[in-house]
Amino acid sequence: MVDAANTSAWKKMADSNPVLEFIDVVLRGSGQVIFMDNPLTGLLNFVAMFVGAATGGTSYEVAIGSVIGTIASTAMAYIIKANRGALKAGIYGFNGMLVGACLPTFLQANTLMWIFVVVGSMFSTLVIMAVANFLTPYKMPAFTFPFVLVCWLIVAFGYKVGGLNTTGLAPAMLTDFTAQTGTWGFADWINSGLTSMSQVWFVASKWSGIIFIVALAVESLWCAGLSALGAFMAPVIAYLTGANIGDINFGLWGFTAALTAPAVGCVFLQPTTRNILLAIFSIFVTTVFQGAISAILTPVGLPSFTFPFNLAGWLFLFAVMTWDTKSS
């Protein structure tokens, strides 16, 4: 766990200096991708992005975009005078970080793309406020739905204009399927679990995955453990049900479960035995959602992003909302 005294000292400096406060809020926004209100977690997340770029797990455009997106979405929250408590906890930054990492992944890097990174990240702040206002009466979080919606719209828009060129995307038939071939051993499982962790941020690097897990452990061992459980358990489920091994190894089956498991098991519910078991069940459900939603979106050439996590997380929390829920 992070040293409380050092955290307190940093917080005091940030509270007394507007520049340091902005840096602190940006870092907390990075940490909030997986629910962590901790600037050190956020800093390590940014480090993991650039480690991923350096090791070939993503591009430097994606790493840089994640920083720009977090800054832009956080700045928007200041501009529109968003709720001060939520702002300082980084709530308005994490969707922007994901938008900033997503667009350079799926669009050709050019001047127009960078404009959309900034504008899309800023818009994600408005979207999270709108979704949060809608869900507040039910005490439900907005999760990463603002990022999902913004990136669905921008990527789809890219199909209709010449300036935003989609890369690596092509609509296909719902029934298109690649049969499972080859072997999948213990080393593959370890690699796929770590890569699943990093794919939350559009990075395919086991080294980044390790850093992301450490970043979570800085704030919460429960969150780190459950997130890792989701990331490592989902590829096994995918393999046993016959999913493509290349996709499993690339982390495409585990990153959404890495979000659902901690949300259900320790972030929005108390980490009791009952809720931990529920979190394990949510991993299976999220994996099925991952495949089903990806199949539904295949004909229109859109990725599922983290929507399977959003759907599973909402359904599980709505189902048990009379239990010992934490305030979001």
Side-chain angles (χ1 to χ4, degrees):
M1 297 293 288
V2 67
D3 185 272
N6 289 338
T7 301
S8 178
W10 166 257
K11 189 175 185 304
K12 287 180 180 178
M13 288 191 296
D15 288 343
S16 63
N17 185 296
V19 175
L20 290 181
E21 179 190 275
F22 185 77
I23 293 172
D24 178 68
V25 173
V26 166
L27 293 176
R28 290 177 190 275
S30 170
Q32 286 283 9
V33 170
I34 307 190
F35 317 114
M36 298 293 98
D37 179 10
N38 188 303
L40 181 55
T41 297
L43 178 62
L44 288 172
N45 285 348
F46 283 135
V47 169
M49 296 298 298
F50 284 91
V51 168
T55 56
T58 189
S59 66
Y60 281 104
E61 286 84 358
V62 170
I64 294 169
S66 71
V67 178
I68 293 175
T70 315
I71 292 172
S73 56
T74 301
M76 184 64 171
Y78 275 95
I79 292 169
I80 62 177
K81 300 185 185 301
N83 178 274
R84 183 72 174 167
L87 187 154
K88 293 195 70 174
I91 296 300
Y92 302 114
F94 69 95
N95 278 283
M97 181 179 189
L98 292 174
V99 171
C102 173
L103 296 185
T105 300
F106 292 97
L107 301 177
Q108 183 178 342
N110 55 32
T111 301
L112 191 59
M113 186 277 292
W114 288 114
I115 292 173
F116 271 81
V117 165
V118 174
V119 173
S121 298
M122 295 178 75
F123 182 55
S124 74
T125 301
L126 294 177
V127 177
I128 194 172
M129 293 175 69
V131 175
N133 286 338
F134 176 77
L135 293 174
T136 292
Y138 308 103
K139 298 182 179 179
M140 286 293 126
F143 287 143
T144 58
F145 182 68
F147 137 69
V148 172
L149 179 61
V150 169
C151 286
W152 273 346
L153 292 173
I154 293 177
V155 172
F157 179 66
Y159 283 119
K160 299 297 291 183
V161 298
L164 291 173
N165 299 317
T166 55
T167 59
L169 286 175
M173 294 297 294
L174 176 65
T175 53
D176 285 355
F177 171 70
T178 303
Q180 187 180 86
T181 58
T183 59
W184 196 67
F186 179 77
D188 298 310
W189 173 59
I190 296 297
N191 179 75
S192 66
L194 292 173
T195 305
S196 292
M197 281 298 305
S198 67
Q199 281 287 11
V200 173
W201 289 267
F202 301 97
V203 179
S205 167
K206 62 183 178 181
W207 305 113
S208 294
I210 293 171
I211 298 173
F212 285 129
I213 293 173
V214 171
L216 290 173
V218 163
E219 173 66 13
S220 169
L221 292 176
W222 275 114
C223 192
L226 284 170
S227 189
L229 181 65
F232 279 88
M233 183 175 163
V236 175
I237 297 169
Y239 174 72
L240 293 177
T241 52
N244 178 269
I245 289 178
D247 291 343
I248 296 172
N249 290 338
F250 201 60
L252 297 182
W253 280 95
F255 68 96
T256 49
L259 291 163
T260 309
V264 173
C266 68
V267 176
F268 297 98
L269 297 174
Q270 300 290 342
T272 62
T273 300
R274 177 182 61 181
N275 294 339
I276 297 300
L277 292 175
L278 193 68
I280 294 172
F281 183 46
S282 78
I283 294 170
F284 178 84
V285 172
T286 305
T287 306
V288 175
F289 283 7
Q290 178 70 38
I293 293 170
S294 295
I296 291 169
L297 292 174
T298 290
V300 294
L302 290 177
S304 63
F305 296 138
T306 57
F307 185 65
F309 147 65
N310 285 273
L311 183 58
W314 284 330
L315 289 175
F316 272 84
L317 293 183
F318 267 115
V320 300
M321 63 189 305
T322 58
W323 291 7
D324 48 343
T325 54
K326 296 181 179 180
S327 59
S328 58

